[in-house]
Amino acid sequence: MSKRISVKDLNVFYGDFKAVEDVTLDIAPRSVTAFIGPSGCGKSTFLRTLNRMHEVIPGARVEGDVLLDGDNLYGPGVDPVTVRSRIGMVFQRANPFPTMSIRDNVLAGVKLNNKRISSSDADDLVERSLRGANLWKEVKDRLQKPGSGLSGGQQQRLCIARAIAVEPEVILMDEPCSALDPISTMAIEDLIAELEKDYTVVIVTHNMQQAARVSERTAFFNIAGAGEPGRLIEYSDTTDIFNNPREKSTEDYVSGRFG
Ligand SMILES: Nc1ncnc2c1ncn2[C@@H]1O[C@H](COP(=O)(O)OP(=O)(O)O)[C@@H](O)[C@H]1O
Ligand SMILES: [Mg+2]
């Protein structure tokens, strides 16, 4: 398998607490990978280590390596801001800047990276990013209106447009549909299928049907008990995880027997 991301022997800590233990896994370019597992098993924590968002929490740290196209993201001298421009993130709750216009919301990440951009280039980028997020047709006549005026599903697509505008290689999504109704969820799932053509997408989801619908590969994480670290139990083609899992605990989880 060709690799966009390669994680080796990763341990993730909050202070003295080891939240995730000894994860090794590779993620192929232009694919969708789902992370599943019971609440508290470290899915969000692990996801945030893939673009160095974990370390913004005081006392949080990692041991081990995360390579992006062979470059160690945790190597000496690597700038976490650059890492986050190559590996974007979309959160559980859509978080547009409420008073900022739709247009400026799309450009917010680009400006954060101190990129200078002419007004006409910005217009092109806004249109391209909103088209990429399947939102252009719905907002093209109100680009100067605040982002907070959009529905929850539209706001989540606006956040995806903001992530795309930075032109990342990888997009991480942490339960992006958990606050959305079924119609908006379908719009996001359709969008993920489109994004896969250009990006590497990693999505945390507690919705097993969603993992089965959108991803080619699925990683199942589990936790042995309170205070224990989360571990990667099984990582395989999504069809195998759901239809032919190797591990008993994977089978129990995907068949809804716990978690
Ligand atoms: N900011 C934090 N500080 C300390 N512990 C945390 C923090 N965030 C998460 N944890 C702990 O790390 C473990 C994994 O949490 P999390 O990654 O949120 O799991 P999941 O996303 O699978 O539900 C849990 O025990 C949780 O309490
Ligand atoms: Mg989580």
Side-chain angles (χ1 to χ4, degrees):
M1 168 170 115
S2 74
K3 304 167 189 174
R4 170 117 305 154
I5 293 178
S6 192
V7 178
K8 292 181 182 157
D9 305 323
L10 200 77
N11 292 291
V12 193
F13 299 85
Y14 294 100
D16 294 336
F17 174 56
K18 190 194 275 185
V20 178
E21 182 166 79
D22 201 23
V23 176
T24 294
L25 100 186
D26 293 330
I27 294 173
R30 295 193 164 81
S31 65
V32 179
T33 300
F35 293 171
I36 63 169
S39 183
C41 70
K43 304 178 297 297
S44 297
T45 298
F46 178 61
L47 190 75
R48 289 193 295 262
T49 67
L50 301 183
N51 76 342
R52 295 191 59 172
M53 283 289 284
H54 175 65
E55 69 204 45
V56 305
I57 298 160
R61 65 191 172 85
V62 306
E63 288 171 355
D65 294 330
V66 179
L67 310 185
L68 175 63
D69 298 329
D71 302 331
N72 190 355
L73 300 184
Y74 289 93
V78 175
D79 177 7
V81 176
T82 308
V83 169
R84 291 171 207 142
S85 71
R86 295 178 69 189
I87 307 181
M89 187 141 189
V90 174
F91 299 89
Q92 193 163 358
R93 297 259 158 201
N95 55 346
F97 301 107
T99 57
M100 217 183 248
S101 70
I102 291 170
R103 181 180 190 279
D104 286 346
N105 260 291
V106 175
L107 295 171
V110 180
K111 291 187 172 157
L112 213 65
N113 287 312
N114 288 321
K115 284 197 190 145
R116 296 202 156 269
I117 180 167
S118 73
S119 170
S120 68
D121 283 351
D123 289 342
D124 290 346
L125 182 61
V126 166
E127 176 168 347
R128 197 164 66 234
S129 305
L130 287 169
R131 281 189 189 282
N134 282 342
L135 188 59
W136 174 249
K137 286 184 186 141
E138 290 157 67
V139 301
K140 65 178 166 34
D141 299 321
R142 47 171 166 154
L143 294 176
Q144 301 303 337
K145 296 269 162 54
S148 56
L150 301 176
S151 73
Q154 288 172 327
Q155 287 189 18
Q156 194 56 294
R157 279 179 284 146
L158 178 59
C159 293
I160 293 172
R162 186 171 64 194
I164 290 174
V166 182
E167 297 174 335
E169 291 153 65
V170 180
I171 303 177
L172 310 175
M173 300 187 181
D174 194 354
E175 301 198 26
C177 302
S178 63
L180 302 181
D181 61 73
I183 304 270
S184 304
T185 296
M186 268 179 54
I188 300 283
E189 289 186 9
D190 288 347
L191 173 55
I192 290 170
E194 287 294 313
L195 293 174
E196 182 181 11
K197 294 172 190 162
D198 297 311
Y199 304 94
T200 302
V201 178
V202 184
I203 177 174
V204 172
T205 178
H206 64 252
N207 179 330
M208 240 89 68
Q209 288 75 26
Q210 177 165 77
R213 282 193 296 263
V214 302
S215 73
E216 286 88 61
R217 302 269 297 172
T218 295
F220 170 62
F221 293 82
N222 203 0
I223 186 171
E228 295 286 322
R231 291 192 181 85
L232 175 62
I233 303 299
E234 188 166 352
Y235 178 43
S236 189
D237 287 350
T238 297
T239 49
D240 287 334
I241 291 285
F242 286 95
N243 301 322
N244 192 21
R246 273 190 315 255
E247 302 292 331
K248 173 84 168 51
S249 61
T250 311
E251 186 177 355
D252 286 348
Y253 185 75
V254 301
S255 59
R257 275 198 282 275
F258 83 137

